[in-house]
Amino acid sequence: MTLMPFRLVAYHRVSTARQGRSGLGLAAQEAAIKTLARDRGAEVIGTYTETESGKRSDRPQLLDALQLARLTGATLAIAKLDRLSRNAAFLLTLRDSGVRFIAADMPEANDLTVGIMALVAQQEREAIARRTREALAAAKARGTRLGNPNGAAALRRAGKGNEAILGAVRENADRHAEAIRPLIEELRAGGCTSLRAIADALNARGVMTRRDGRWQVSNVRNLLTRLDV
């Protein structure tokens, strides 16, 4: 009797259409799953890439990937489960699918792990939204002009009382930086180490700054500092 080889269905996720076109984060995810397949002696029988925003709850590519895994008895392979830990919809869909899964960065993860992560993700998102609403309401009551084009700098000048808003700004900046981290690692591994070279490479790939602008040396320096690179 010939044993069927260990089979994987690869699932990648990028959060915006621009990231999907530029390959931002995609190459690193593909490499992680290929390494996982090689180390486990597995065959990748299908690959699905989702391009969706954090606000969407539907995951058509994920559902297709789960369906293929379910029909073939394959295991769903994910590159980085930890980066999806705040996406409750994804985690709950994964937990309730009945399909075996493996994450390249957390191979020990199981249904219990994912269930706990989903609950924490839901609670954290609701807490952040509540704190932001309360902070905005308090700032408005004090007469603070909201939507200042100077952003975080204006909030710092406004003084105390805007900590929650500043926290939300910092969190958005951190999230954007983490999304770019795999590409930065890829560029540096390929010998692209100077600030100017990294800026040029990001611009050449169509990757935008958090404010949808072109990369300058100062932007890259700030990004690397935020990533502690």
Side-chain angles (χ1 to χ4, degrees):
M1 178 178 178
T2 302
L3 294 178
M4 187 173 295
F6 182 38
R7 295 178 297 175
L8 298 175
V9 175
Y11 175 74
H12 312 125
R13 175 183 170 272
V14 290
S15 59
T16 65
R18 186 171 66 243
Q19 288 180 350
R21 290 192 301 269
S22 67
L24 179 60
L26 188 56
Q29 293 180 55
E30 291 174 343
I33 293 179
K34 285 180 180 178
T35 299
L36 174 68
R38 185 187 66 236
D39 293 345
R40 298 294 179 97
E43 174 191 4
V44 177
I45 64 171
T47 300
Y48 295 83
T49 300
E50 196 92 74
T51 301
E52 49 88 10
S53 72
K55 294 182 179 180
R56 284 183 55 182
S57 59
D58 57 315
R59 305 286 188 274
Q61 290 295 305
L62 174 59
L63 295 178
D64 287 346
L66 290 172
Q67 179 68 1
L68 177 61
R70 190 178 294 110
L71 291 173
T72 61
T75 298
L76 185 74
I78 308 160
K80 292 183 71 63
L81 184 61
D82 63 341
R83 288 185 59 194
L84 297 171
S85 61
R86 290 183 179 177
N87 192 326
F90 171 87
L91 293 169
L92 291 172
T93 300
L94 183 60
R95 184 197 65 182
D96 298 336
S97 67
V99 170
R100 291 173 300 175
F101 69 89
I102 186 170
D105 66 323
M106 293 179 64
E108 73 284 358
N110 54 35
D111 290 347
L112 178 60
T113 305
V114 170
I116 293 173
M117 291 171 70
L119 292 174
V120 172
Q122 182 70 26
Q123 185 178 43
E124 183 176 9
R125 186 170 68 247
E126 291 174 355
I128 291 172
R130 183 179 65 254
R131 289 196 301 269
T132 302
R133 288 194 302 269
E134 292 172 350
L136 289 171
K140 186 175 181 179
R142 291 194 304 273
T144 301
R145 183 179 179 182
L146 303 178
N148 193 304
N150 291 322
L155 290 172
R156 284 193 293 270
R157 289 195 298 270
K160 295 181 178 180
N162 290 312
E163 289 84 358
I165 303 177
L166 282 169
V169 172
R170 284 192 295 269
E171 183 180 3
N172 288 336
D174 288 342
R175 185 179 296 116
H176 184 262
E178 285 299 327
I180 300 176
R181 182 189 291 276
L183 181 55
I184 294 297
E185 293 173 349
E186 178 186 328
L187 292 174
R188 287 167 61 88
C192 187
T193 57
S194 73
L195 299 178
R196 171 53 61 190
I198 293 175
D200 290 343
L202 291 173
N203 289 328
R205 296 192 182 202
V207 180
M208 307 290 283
T209 67
R210 190 164 64 93
R211 299 184 183 279
D212 292 333
R214 288 180 58 79
W215 290 90
Q216 305 295 334
V217 167
S218 58
N219 301 124
V220 176
R221 182 184 296 110
N222 292 337
L223 173 66
L224 298 184
T225 299
R226 185 172 293 277
L227 293 175
D228 195 24
V229 174

